[in-house]
Amino acid sequence: MTVSDVVELEGHIIDSGLMERAFTVVMELGGEFDIEEFRVGTSKDEESYCRMRVIAEDEATLHPILHELHQSGATLAAPTDATLEPAPADHVVPDGFYSTTNHPTDVRVDGEWVPVGNIEMDCAVVVEGVERAPDGTVEPTGDGDVTAETRVLNGIGEGDLVVTGDAGIRVKPPERPRDSSGPFGFMRGGVSAERPSASLIRDIAEAVAETKAQGGHVLCVAGPAVIHAGGGPGLARLVREGYVDAISAGNGFAVHDMERSMYGTSLGMDVETMEHPRKGHKHHIYTISEVIRAGGIEAAVEEGLITEGVMYECVENDRDFVLAGSIRDDGPLPDTITDAVEAQNAIREQAREADLVLMLSSLLHSVAVGNCLPSTTRTVCVDINPATVTQLLDRGSAQAVGMVTDVGTFVPMLAEELLE
Amino acid sequence: MTVSDVVELEGHIIDSGLMERAFTVVMELGGEFDIEEFRVGTSKDEESYCRMRVIAEDEATLHPILHELHQSGATLAAPTDATLEPAPADHVVPDGFYSTTNHPTDVRVDGEWVPVGNIEMDCAVVVEGVERAPDGTVEPTGDGDVTAETRVLNGIGEGDLVVTGDAGIRVKPPERPRDSSGPFGFMRGGVSAERPSASLIRDIAEAVAETKAQGGHVLCVAGPAVIHAGGGPGLARLVREGYVDAISAGNGFAVHDMERSMYGTSLGMDVETMEHPRKGHKHHIYTISEVIRAGGIEAAVEEGLITEGVMYECVENDRDFVLAGSIRDDGPLPDTITDAVEAQNAIREQAREADLVLMLSSLLHSVAVGNCLPSTTRTVCVDINPATVTQLLDRGSAQAVGMVTDVGTFVPMLAEELLE
Amino acid sequence: MTVSDVVELEGHIIDSGLMERAFTVVMELGGEFDIEEFRVGTSKDEESYCRMRVIAEDEATLHPILHELHQSGATLAAPTDATLEPAPADHVVPDGFYSTTNHPTDVRVDGEWVPVGNIEMDCAVVVEGVERAPDGTVEPTGDGDVTAETRVLNGIGEGDLVVTGDAGIRVKPPERPRDSSGPFGFMRGGVSAERPSASLIRDIAEAVAETKAQGGHVLCVAGPAVIHAGGGPGLARLVREGYVDAISAGNGFAVHDMERSMYGTSLGMDVETMEHPRKGHKHHIYTISEVIRAGGIEAAVEEGLITEGVMYECVENDRDFVLAGSIRDDGPLPDTITDAVEAQNAIREQAREADLVLMLSSLLHSVAVGNCLPSTTRTVCVDINPATVTQLLDRGSAQAVGMVTDVGTFVPMLAEELLE
Amino acid sequence: MTVSDVVELEGHIIDSGLMERAFTVVMELGGEFDIEEFRVGTSKDEESYCRMRVIAEDEATLHPILHELHQSGATLAAPTDATLEPAPADHVVPDGFYSTTNHPTDVRVDGEWVPVGNIEMDCAVVVEGVERAPDGTVEPTGDGDVTAETRVLNGIGEGDLVVTGDAGIRVKPPERPRDSSGPFGFMRGGVSAERPSASLIRDIAEAVAETKAQGGHVLCVAGPAVIHAGGGPGLARLVREGYVDAISAGNGFAVHDMERSMYGTSLGMDVETMEHPRKGHKHHIYTISEVIRAGGIEAAVEEGLITEGVMYECVENDRDFVLAGSIRDDGPLPDTITDAVEAQNAIREQAREADLVLMLSSLLHSVAVGNCLPSTTRTVCVDINPATVTQLLDRGSAQAVGMVTDVGTFVPMLAEELLE
């Protein structure tokens, strides 16, 4: 006695690795398969198709297999509507809720495929514009469009209709670019350890320029090491010249950046060598204290306290910035969002708008931004620690590149490529 | 035309490195010195004394030298009272505020040395129980004792009397233990790279046991890697048996720990191998959702949802725990303090109570706790990344040891040493 | 005008990733393909088959595509004999020589497929037992079997018949195990970062035990850190009890191991804490000097100079060891092979005999051993540096596992699992 | 009943840390001290003096204390001649041999202080020009000067007169520069983690230029990563222009460098992106094979096979290079010294001639060179792995700096600073 179900795979399912993944999932999770139909694209541009019956000894084995196949991009051959269950309480998901991937996703409601808005990993999907009868059937209310979107736990309210199970859901993992030409062709997911650094920086510069040329939005996630290592002036120029549209950072980044502006030259210290006792931590506190006195970063720029640097250019050129607080912060600055949930929401807005994200030496902030990114957003990760780069790349982005290098040489060289 | 001032150094000023540091500070910052008196302790237990005139070409050169000598433990030969200035606004320090070290410190008020309470690095010192006349003179109000304590920026209110300058301040860096015997003798500040691991774990166990035997308080800072790597059961036992009095962690640690309890066996997954698709992230969300539904960790333990693990033992044995939120959290749990400032304050309370801190695989939380520790608290840092251990040790603790090892083998071996 | 050729792929070509790789190779290198036949195995145990015409605009494009497909396991549909060219001089390969993978390989000589002996990566293949006519045709001499084997450059003599081009060569990359059960099922090529350490060590112990139970040979590559970290006694026991059949190490490993035996207790030093001035380097030199005086390690054991440790157990239990010299060695010991080419040859012998290789904290020696291993040998890499583990795993072994842990806790725990 | 001896310390003994170290040594090794005289330099340029009686309960305790004090720079107050014992056999040291530091050292022979030539760490000292009577007294033979020099074990012949014990030996650890100005002032022994990278590279360039301006010799130790990461052209220019006088590397470095010259453009591959299948390992073997055919690197340059790159510039500009073999080498090249002892000797010659050593991304070769360097040679260590930089700096060089950066950006920026 076995149970089974039929799934379909379509597209460039061989070279995207989907077929391999599907076979592996079935075998690793203890199932069997029976290929009912297989048409291979006979040329490079032709898509392939596979209809596969998945067989397992019981539902408890079959279910996780189907779930995984789903998440990888397979669809049930005979689509039914998605099941919707009301959330039992605020911030609580119903039993069996569907947990999202970061890939483009549709849910089937009342026979129609509805795209899931603001796709983000590990969320629930809430459907609006429908009502659910006691027997579980769902109908449009007719008051507006039927819509679906991802929600993190604290965005769920009691009674929200949440998708459960795997039925009626369609996931489309983006395919990696099929060749390595073009300005984004080098972003193929790996850490480029044995590439000449200068030529890789040139490629990244070209990808940034191309993104801007296409009207895209570049978000830069930056850690304090960017400033320590001397990348501040270069990044400030990229903000001024519009190659970077937004900054996502922490309290420390902003303070170090403004400290450079406030105490770099006015007090006669050599900003180049940064040689001063006890690492000038007192200036760190002073900087925060003065910005608090002024009433915030914008006010500090306006009253002439801050006259250069990344934050200065953000204010002067009206670039969006989010400073997310953390438990190691001094101060913090009035601009720093100290509540983690609020900060996540602000980061989420930034992430959704981005077409290319530069992650520079900031594990915490890069993970936070990365958590909110769909797999279709281009990503460049730069860090001197290879483990950090590997961790950041490991989230299924279709076009990504990692570079293990010194941010203190990377930023000036990138700025030179783009601006000179 | 030169300016000068006289400082004194007392104690084991040679083998503690204070003399060397004093000479180096003067020379690196461009000064000269004239040793007016020097008495060296002629035997191991006898203290030494040095009176040194520091000479510089102008006040701008002399001041930072005196400041650094101060912070290192030198005192002005002719002590005067500390200068107190009112804070100009909430969260704003007066010009020239004194920024604390993490060493025991006194300030001189109205001719008396007052110990600074709750010493912590990079804070201001606020004096209470005095009033300041318009001419700057300070007198006790007589309404209570004159007290001084450290304050972070957001603990400062307008008008608080803040210590400025370096005069009237006495810093006493703790001396490292003068020999390597005794249960804490191995905690001499280094990363023990070439020590046999098993014997070092034995020493750490002995230090924990001795701390408890002396009635001390052991705080454990733990990252999620403790759970992933299989250290959960061992740590839970240490909490239950009272070797760990408090836990300082993040939302992720608690969720991973409780997920192990909730889904480890009930859903038939092999907790040992943790092999399941997509790393079981859905269980992560479920765990949070269920704990939210229950109303928090304590309620979840009480209703039988959580039946083992570190959080369970904390609740059952009434151990203090702080879960500090961060921008990469899922959920978060109702117990997680999402505001960074509030979380810091909770961590500060934990840090002040601790006699020995075990930092296990958590850079963010360990830095946050470390920021609040006086240099007299014993510290053990364990991480597989040597850069993390180095960074955590680099804060002047008098008795500290770092170990670059796998927390997944460390915790079980430590538990075995202590419990068997 | 295009050129083309037909290749075939057979076996579990989808879940092994071969199809994906084939498609990717063609597209990345600028070719096109036409799938002439495709039969997918409809169940888990049925193999698949693909015949693909590869099309390119010219030979210069086609050739590298065919070469890569070859190396990945595809075969030319219409096999011809391999081309053989005489080596023009000692240590010199003929133009267009075939450079080996580490996968099982056959070459076609006079219509017969001959297996290539002692397969090893990046070598040439020399065919013996044939003679080559001036027109390039090859015939068996009849004096013995026709054989083929890999040769490194310095094993090639003038006139040796070396395989050139890609024709007549068949590469069979081993498939990874199709499920994760069994004693070797966990060796699937990844670095197990989030596995509980203790349970992974248990799995490794089981794989070692199973290898021995099957009559296999276990080779341990060990760096000096094994001794520093306290793993010496555990490894010595594994050698004594026969779980480790051979040791591949350097001069430093052997000296540290014997120093422990010679000076651990006799001079009153505490071997446990290893606390002594300047790291006891003088004992290091003494150890070498004494072993030189005795006439070598075996003689030193026999005269009672060395009474315990890994080298002692090797001598006493007649286990093979190779000590390969390097430019950072002190001494060296008389047993250390100082010539790199000779040492490589000795390592090559060890590698060929091994069924499972444990690589413990030794990048240099592990790379040297790994270079000589066919992809069918099981490999376990243990190091505290994740970059080292990644580098060592990245050589296409079909069954391998990496563990980022502390060798000082790993070895005792492994020994305990196996011996208690 | 105690035993004691008197030692003297002279110089900048406080700010060099010598006094601190002396006190620490005595206390850690279980002794007591009695300061008989102490004169502190009252100003920056005046030296200090300390005469200290060291007291211990028995000779076994006293001896290691005196030994350590010695190695740190203390001298016995009442100097006697050094004890000389004949080596009992080739490559064997007499009992109690004196093991060298890497600091300038004198030995007292027949009442005269003789400088030890070619000082190098962990060696024996052999005295020549004297003969030893049966009673142990030593007299000049009169046939030539009395000389002393370091010898590694395999440089010792039976009967050589080797210094034993600690008496009659004077070690002078170099003092670190007393201020941070001047072209070498930044080389103060630390890893500059928080320095702006570009400014540190500027400082290093200045130190190289200044060394050349003073007629000094610059040795560059380089790993293959220099070539992979794109640093080849920059390093080649530094060799051509005479900023680098000698190269110390391995077989792999030379092969990668020449492969770039031979196959970078001639075969139509894009040297910039290095994109080609299987990392072009076949070219690696070809390069070696062709250079073997030509008869070596010089011959290959002469016959026009190699037309650019680091090795080319070495040959063309007559710069010394040493290629030391290792067990992971392919080939090797005819120029590679495969015997580790011979290679060490060649490296030793290079090390002795160097005034400034640049160590670029090569742990093995840098350790080998570092082992042969006196503590007076300036050292710059560049690697992306902080643990490598720390290990290389940890050998008591008086002027050293470490930089954790990407050699692929470092070398071009250094070359630009020096050449443009």
Side-chain angles (χ1 to χ4, degrees), chain C residues 106-127:
Chain C
D106 300 323
V107 292
R108 197 163 177 274
V109 184
D110 196 35
E112 300 290 326
W113 287 106
V114 178
V116 176
N118 290 324
I119 192 70
E120 180 182 333
M121 201 184 275
D122 300 320
C123 290
V125 175
V126 169
V127 176

XYZ file of all heavy atoms in Angstrom, chain C residues 106-127:
166
model
N 39.485 4.938 -18.642
C 39.983 3.934 -19.577
C 40.510 4.632 -20.820
O 40.005 5.692 -21.200
C 38.839 3.009 -20.046
C 38.190 2.266 -18.891
O 38.911 1.875 -17.954
O 36.953 2.093 -18.940
N 41.475 4.016 -21.471
C 41.888 4.519 -22.795
C 41.721 3.378 -23.795
O 41.895 2.204 -23.473
C 43.352 5.026 -22.812
C 43.484 6.284 -21.976
C 44.327 3.961 -22.354
N 41.373 3.746 -25.010
C 41.119 2.733 -26.030
C 42.385 2.557 -26.874
O 42.879 3.507 -27.482
C 39.953 3.192 -26.914
C 39.321 2.088 -27.746
C 37.969 2.600 -28.213
N 37.274 1.677 -29.080
C 37.443 1.608 -30.403
N 38.307 2.388 -31.028
N 36.747 0.739 -31.119
N 42.918 1.356 -26.818
C 44.157 1.066 -27.553
C 43.906 -0.157 -28.437
O 43.451 -1.194 -27.925
C 45.328 0.781 -26.589
C 46.624 0.592 -27.379
C 45.485 1.904 -25.576
N 44.107 0.000 -29.705
C 43.909 -1.113 -30.645
C 42.522 -1.742 -30.455
O 42.377 -2.961 -30.420
C 45.019 -2.155 -30.420
C 45.118 -3.122 -31.604
O 44.891 -2.683 -32.763
O 45.386 -4.312 -31.361
N 41.533 -0.853 -30.301
C 40.154 -1.318 -30.227
C 39.690 -1.823 -28.878
O 38.518 -2.131 -28.691
N 40.603 -1.897 -27.922
C 40.212 -2.387 -26.596
C 40.296 -1.269 -25.563
O 41.219 -0.461 -25.591
C 41.190 -3.497 -26.131
C 41.262 -4.688 -27.021
C 39.984 -5.515 -26.967
O 39.362 -5.583 -25.870
O 39.588 -6.062 -28.024
N 39.357 -1.274 -24.616
C 39.421 -0.308 -23.522
C 40.365 -0.827 -22.440
O 40.130 -1.879 -21.865
C 38.041 -0.063 -22.921
C 37.134 0.756 -23.809
C 36.075 0.305 -24.525
C 37.242 2.155 -24.059
N 35.492 1.345 -25.221
C 36.199 2.500 -24.955
C 38.113 3.169 -23.644
C 35.998 3.786 -25.428
C 37.912 4.456 -24.111
C 36.865 4.770 -24.998
N 41.415 -0.087 -22.176
C 42.411 -0.466 -21.167
C 42.254 0.469 -19.962
O 42.277 1.691 -20.123
C 43.838 -0.320 -21.754
C 44.888 -0.674 -20.705
C 43.976 -1.170 -23.006
N 42.080 -0.073 -18.761
C 41.960 0.816 -17.592
C 43.292 1.499 -17.289
O 44.355 0.889 -17.420
C 41.577 -0.132 -16.455
C 42.011 -1.478 -16.907
C 41.985 -1.498 -18.414
N 43.189 2.762 -16.878
C 44.405 3.516 -16.537
C 44.747 3.224 -15.082
O 43.933 3.468 -14.186
C 44.195 5.022 -16.756
C 45.440 5.799 -16.309
C 43.893 5.297 -18.223
N 45.918 2.690 -14.871
C 46.324 2.316 -13.519
C 46.724 3.518 -12.681
O 47.167 4.538 -13.205
N 46.561 3.368 -11.366
C 47.005 4.399 -10.415
C 46.526 5.789 -10.795
O 47.316 6.734 -10.902
C 48.533 4.392 -10.312
C 49.026 3.151 -9.613
O 48.394 2.663 -8.689
N 50.142 2.624 -10.083
N 45.210 5.911 -10.971
C 44.667 7.182 -11.437
C 44.965 8.290 -10.424
O 44.910 8.075 -9.208
C 43.151 7.059 -11.720
C 42.663 8.284 -12.485
C 42.361 6.860 -10.430
C 43.169 8.337 -13.918
N 45.324 9.432 -10.941
C 45.717 10.574 -10.109
C 45.533 11.822 -10.963
O 45.738 11.792 -12.174
C 47.188 10.389 -9.701
C 47.717 11.491 -8.836
C 49.199 11.291 -8.480
O 49.682 10.130 -8.447
O 49.876 12.309 -8.282
N 45.173 12.908 -10.336
C 44.828 14.128 -11.056
C 46.038 14.791 -11.726
O 47.150 14.712 -11.207
C 44.252 15.107 -10.042
C 43.410 16.200 -10.608
S 42.911 17.330 -9.282
C 41.463 16.487 -8.656
N 45.804 15.427 -12.872
C 46.805 16.278 -13.504
C 48.079 15.541 -13.906
O 49.186 16.097 -13.850
C 47.181 17.447 -12.582
C 45.967 18.304 -12.263
O 45.156 18.537 -13.181
O 45.831 18.735 -11.112
N 47.912 14.299 -14.305
C 49.052 13.523 -14.795
C 48.887 13.277 -16.292
O 47.832 13.547 -16.870
C 49.098 12.163 -14.094
S 49.561 12.273 -12.368
N 49.941 12.738 -16.885
C 49.848 12.215 -18.236
C 49.560 10.720 -18.144
O 49.754 10.095 -17.101
C 51.162 12.456 -18.976
N 49.071 10.146 -19.263
C 48.846 8.704 -19.308
C 49.865 8.086 -20.259
O 49.994 8.533 -21.417
C 47.410 8.384 -19.788
C 47.220 6.881 -19.952
C 46.388 8.963 -18.831
N 50.600 7.110 -19.779
C 51.585 6.423 -20.610
C 51.087 5.001 -20.870
O 50.640 4.320 -19.944
C 52.959 6.393 -19.908
C 53.924 5.450 -20.646
C 53.546 7.803 -19.847
N 51.118 4.603 -22.134
C 50.672 3.264 -22.506
C 51.908 2.404 -22.773
O 52.837 2.840 -23.474
C 49.755 3.322 -23.750
C 49.370 1.911 -24.197
C 48.503 4.138 -23.437
